[in-house]
Amino acid sequence: MTQAPAHSRKVRRQHDREIVALAVPAFGALVAEPLFVLADSAIVGHLGTAQLAGLGVASALLTTAVSIFVFLAYATTAAVARRVGAGDLKSAIRQGMDGVWLALLLGAAVIVLVLPTAPGLVDLFGASETAAPYATTYLRISSLGIPAMLVVLAATGVLRGLQDTKTPLYVAVAGFVSNGILNVVLVYGADLGIAGSAWGTVIAQWGMALAYLVVVVRGARKHGASLRPDAAGIRASAQAGAPLLVRTLSLRAILLIATAVAARLGDADVAAHQIILSLWSLLAFALDAIAIAGQAIIGRYLGAGDAEGAKAVCRRMVQWGTAVGVVLGVLVVITRPLFLPLFTSDSAVTDTALPALVIVALSQPISGVVFVLDGVLMGAGDGPYLAWAMLLTLAVFTPAALLVPTVGGGLTTLWITMTLMMTVRMLTLWLRARSGRWIVTGATR
């Protein structure tokens, strides 16, 4: 009678060790990414308001462009992890190289698109006449780093699939440090202004990409995997990523709609919304780290043909997501009067944000389950279902959000609709996880 519970505890401890070993470094790497923009903002901000405004517009465009292609990391993680589970490291590395080649092709296409259209894109984002030239300069130069940024995404997916989240952390930290040093030297030492900041970031990004490529190429040579581009493999990577692209675009649309609705509510509401959205994104990093662990672990179990192990780790990760969500929610409630003054001294903004933050806090356990199950299904390669589920969520959220100005309640009501959105996501993901249809074992799905 005591052996089964003892065995169960042993399995849980094993899962916990795997989750922590992958999630903690992944969290560090995720947090390091937005620090690039913060470092650039801190350095460029001393050049003048117009330069900082130009950086803000260009950074928003670049962040949007790169976030659209985050499927390079997600799809590659799942595909590589499956092959690792199946014990075929040569094919795992080969699959990863297909993702890297796809990243280079997409990056080159984005450069060709951005260079001639940069002024128009800047105008579309509403840059002022004084800020527009700086935004255009930064955008054009920084676009040269987009292939490197996409290679970093794909190569990160390779290493996550290989159950390695420490190397991406080391590369991210090194990239952040070198970016800061290069920015200071080029902006002030070489007196290049905002162009120096852009070049510093491009150099740092290519340095990160090369560091990843060294690791991947070393692994390819060790296991005898080809480094040459393979048209069929690149097509397969693109096909696996297409549903995740739909998912990502749908999520971006939800965030844009929420911001547009907040803008219609008034200046205090949209200012408070931006503060809350920044916090929401920070909380998402902690939950996304667990999801990344889920992608890698689930893919490996399914590749090894261990369906029961995949189910068990899925259950354990849901428990982790719920527990972390509860902790984050409590922290938001406790600290909300303390961190709001860091962003604003306007009492109208603070008063608007405080009740909405309670809704954010209450929704964190839901978010925990959503992120974890999202990661589980990504790790299983269940992209088509994720795409349809997110489209359904967008269809439910859009009319609810657009009714907020009519219904009343301001920003708090808007964040209730955001919680509705997360609840719909949770239900669609939970139903899929419960059905077991995501469980397809083998080296490929």
Side-chain angles (χ1 to χ4, degrees):
M1 293 292 290
T2 58
Q3 276 189 332
H7 175 71
S8 179
R9 286 195 298 271
K10 182 180 179 181
V11 170
R12 284 199 302 269
R13 284 197 297 269
Q14 178 187 341
H15 290 159
D16 291 345
R17 283 194 297 269
E18 285 185 315
I19 293 167
V20 171
L22 291 170
V24 172
F27 175 71
L30 289 169
V31 170
E33 291 173 10
L35 293 180
F36 270 80
V37 177
L38 286 177
D40 287 2
S41 300
I43 293 166
V44 171
H46 292 286
L47 295 174
T49 302
Q51 288 91 330
L52 184 58
L55 172 67
V57 171
S59 294
L61 283 163
L62 288 165
T63 301
T64 300
V66 174
S67 67
I68 288 172
F69 298 113
V70 74
F71 70 83
L72 287 166
Y74 294 157
T76 305
T77 297
V80 172
R82 274 185 175 271
R83 287 160 176 79
V84 169
D88 190 353
L89 290 177
K90 179 179 178 179
S91 293
I93 298 290
R94 176 64 258 180
Q95 181 72 34
M97 284 305 305
D98 292 334
V100 170
W101 280 112
L102 177 61
L104 285 169
L105 290 172
L106 291 173
V110 173
I111 290 178
V112 170
L113 178 65
V114 169
L115 285 178
T117 62
L121 291 171
V122 167
D123 288 340
L124 188 64
F125 263 60
S128 66
E129 290 185 6
T130 54
Y134 296 112
T136 302
T137 296
Y138 191 93
L139 181 59
R140 276 180 166 156
I141 296 172
S142 292
S143 69
L144 301 177
I146 287 179
M149 296 166 75
L150 300 189
V151 166
V152 166
L153 284 176
T156 299
V158 175
L159 295 179
R160 288 173 181 170
L162 294 171
Q163 316 297 297
D164 176 10
T165 55
K166 290 183 179 179
T167 300
L169 172 60
Y170 300 148
V171 175
V173 171
F176 168 69
V177 172
S178 61
N179 177 64
I181 294 172
L182 286 166
N183 270 254
V184 171
V185 170
L186 295 175
V187 171
Y188 298 113
D191 198 26
L192 293 178
I194 195 169
S197 176
W199 280 117
T201 301
V202 168
I203 294 169
Q205 286 163 346
W206 275 107
M208 292 171 65
L210 289 173
Y212 276 117
L213 288 175
V214 167
V215 175
V216 174
V217 168
R218 188 180 298 160
R221 288 177 175 169
K222 179 180 178 181
H223 297 288
S226 173
L227 298 173
R228 295 177 181 177
D230 176 65
I234 294 171
R235 269 197 310 273
S237 293
Q239 289 169 355
L244 297 180
L245 175 61
V246 173
R247 168 200 168 277
T248 300
L249 289 174
S250 300
L251 182 56
R252 296 294 299 183
I254 286 170
L255 297 178
L256 287 173
I257 290 168
T259 300
V261 171
R264 292 173 61 188
L265 297 175
D267 289 346
D269 291 88
V270 73
H273 177 73
Q274 287 304 116
I275 294 171
I276 295 173
L277 199 58
S278 298
L279 173 66
W280 195 68
S281 299
L282 179 62
L283 298 173
F285 285 139
L287 299 172
D288 201 26
I290 305 174
I292 287 168
Q295 293 171 33
I297 297 171
I298 290 293
R300 193 187 78 231
Y301 271 93
L302 293 177
D306 188 354
E308 290 305 315
K311 290 179 184 178
V313 78
C314 174
R315 288 192 295 269
R316 189 57 177 164
M317 295 201 73
V318 169
Q319 293 169 357
W320 267 84
T322 305
V324 172
V326 170
V327 171
L328 293 176
V330 171
L331 286 175
V332 169
V333 171
I334 293 173
T335 62
R336 63 194 176 108
L338 302 176
F339 73 79
L340 279 175
L342 298 175
F343 294 91
T344 181
S345 57
D346 189 335
S347 59
V349 175
T350 303
D351 292 344
T352 301
L354 281 171
L357 280 170
V358 174
I359 304 301
V360 173
L362 292 174
S363 70
Q364 286 310 296
I366 296 173
S367 296
V369 175
V370 167
F371 274 83
V372 165
L373 291 180
D374 207 37
V376 166
L377 296 185
M378 282 185 193
D382 203 12
Y385 181 83
L386 290 172
W388 284 110
M390 189 58 78
L391 286 171
L392 172 63
T393 303
L394 175 62
V396 172
F397 171 78
T398 301
L402 295 178
L403 282 173
V404 168
T406 304
V407 172
L411 191 66
T412 300
T413 304
L414 176 59
W415 276 92
I416 289 174
T417 64
M418 289 289 284
T419 303
L420 168 66
M421 178 269 294
M422 294 300 288
T423 303
V424 172
R425 288 188 69 189
M426 182 181 71
L427 289 174
T428 57
L429 296 172
W430 177 77
L431 287 172
R432 184 64 167 182
R434 187 183 179 190
S435 73
R437 293 176 183 172
W438 57 278
I439 300 175
V440 179
T441 58
T444 57
R445 184 176 172 85

